[in-house]
Amino acid sequence: MSRRVVITGGASGLGLAMAETFRDAGDRVAVCDADPAAVAAVDPAIRAEVADVTDEAAMGGFLARVEADWGGAEVVISNAGIGGPAGAVEELAFDDWRRCLSVNLDGAFLTCRWAARVMKGQGAGLILLTSSVSGLFGFPWRTPYVAAKWGIVGLTKALASELGPHGVRVNAICPGAVEGPRMDRVVAMEAAAQGRSEAEVRAGFTEGVALRRFVTAGEVAAMALFLASPGAAGISGQALAVDGHTERTT
Ligand code: NAD
């Protein structure tokens, strides 16, 4: 049966990979994203709107339109996130800290609040949140992002307990470093913050991974598709890593 799938930050990167994977599985997919150019480029078979996840009114409008047209959703993926600043904690600006927590956590709250109401009414559903290996380890120089992604795991655990009795599953996916432009930006930012070359920083990432490579967006999307499948009906409250087995962080 075709599922109704809502994804935030779904116009590029992992969100888009997940949107295209569910589309290819025959599902109806709606995404929102803060980047109008990326939204305009999304396949018209995927419903795409501009909305910033930190903007309560904009998110309320997007979700209300989906609900009015579709009546609900089987899968809601709170995925929008930003990497935040890199640097020694004493040098970070409060505004950068707040922005990182806001996009990653306020956005998840607004998305999950809607999903919880809709799915409790349905008596079924899956909420997926994108955390990170940064939600499983304590990476240095990335304190706002790490705090936000551990927060996502906490939100996942609490919501799984709260919504489980209503038939709603809640899980977090924790991607490791994903091949693509976002990791290219993170590597460049950390190299600048630490005074090291980009090659050194990249090697540092892969040396800490048992498979000695970054994962792909397709591998993360495959996990999302599995978690939405009947075979995953018993899985809730979990933070599942797709990370090539990340063993250390520096
Ligand atoms: P990305 O930058 O390629 O894509 C993120 C998308 O979210 C973009 O389209 C962007 O426009 C959108 N977005 C950003 N801020 C937004 C906002 N306020 N409201 C709505 N949309 C917004 O990044 P990605 O790698 O695809 O990241 C997706 C998620 O995966 C994030 O939560 C990120 O923290 C997480 N993650 C990424 C990696 C990685 O290596 N790429 C690893 C672990 C976790």
Side-chain angles (χ1 to χ4, degrees), residues 12 14 33-34 52-53 79 130 145 149 175-176 178 182-183 185:
S12 67
L14 292 178
D33 200 287
D52 185 321
V53 291
N79 166 77
T130 308
Y145 186 67
K149 292 306 190 183
V178 179
R182 184 173 181 282
M183 269 316 293
R185 289 197 300 273

Side-chain angles (χ1 to χ4, degrees), residues 4-223:
R4 297 162 295 182
V5 182
V6 177
I7 305 174
T8 69
S12 67
L14 292 178
L16 181 62
M18 291 191 274
E20 292 176 343
T21 297
F22 280 99
R23 174 204 63 194
D24 292 348
D27 296 320
R28 278 186 283 172
V29 183
V31 303
C32 76
D33 200 287
D35 179 348
V39 166
V42 172
D43 169 9
I46 294 168
R47 176 179 177 142
E49 282 190 31
V50 177
D52 185 321
V53 291
T54 66
D55 181 334
E56 186 176 10
M59 278 303 283
F62 164 66
L63 295 168
R65 283 185 288 281
V66 169
E67 192 174 349
D69 293 345
W70 289 1
E74 279 70 39
V75 181
V76 172
I77 306 179
S78 173
N79 166 77
I82 56 168
V89 68
E90 65 272 25
E91 284 160 15
L92 297 182
F94 189 31
D95 278 352
D96 291 340
W97 162 272
R98 278 197 289 218
R99 180 70 188 156
C100 182
L101 264 71
S102 179
V103 175
N104 285 291
L105 276 176
D106 294 355
F109 167 73
L110 292 174
T111 307
C112 292
R113 186 175 65 173
W114 176 81
R117 179 179 57 72
V118 165
M119 290 179 180
K120 276 168 91 168
Q122 296 168 176
L126 168 68
I127 299 174
L128 277 183
L129 297 101
T130 308
S131 178
S132 166
V133 287
S134 297
L136 303 172
F137 287 95
F139 286 84
W141 304 299
R142 298 291 301 284
T143 44
Y145 186 67
V146 170
K149 292 306 190 183
W150 278 81
I152 292 289
V153 174
L155 187 59
T156 301
K157 298 275 183 195
L159 285 175
S161 294
E162 189 171 322
L163 302 177
H166 301 275
V168 179
R169 294 184 299 119
V170 187
N171 290 295
I173 299 180
C174 299
V178 179
E179 204 60 71
R182 184 173 181 282
M183 269 316 293
D184 294 346
R185 289 197 300 273
V186 169
V187 166
M189 189 172 64
E190 294 206 5
Q194 299 164 30
R196 298 161 73 200
S197 74
E198 292 187 20
E200 262 181 293
V201 171
R202 185 171 287 272
F205 273 109
T206 50
E207 278 162 18
V209 177
L211 292 182
R212 297 289 190 272
R213 65 168 177 86
F214 288 2
V215 298
T216 67
E219 288 166 341
V220 177
M223 172 64 95

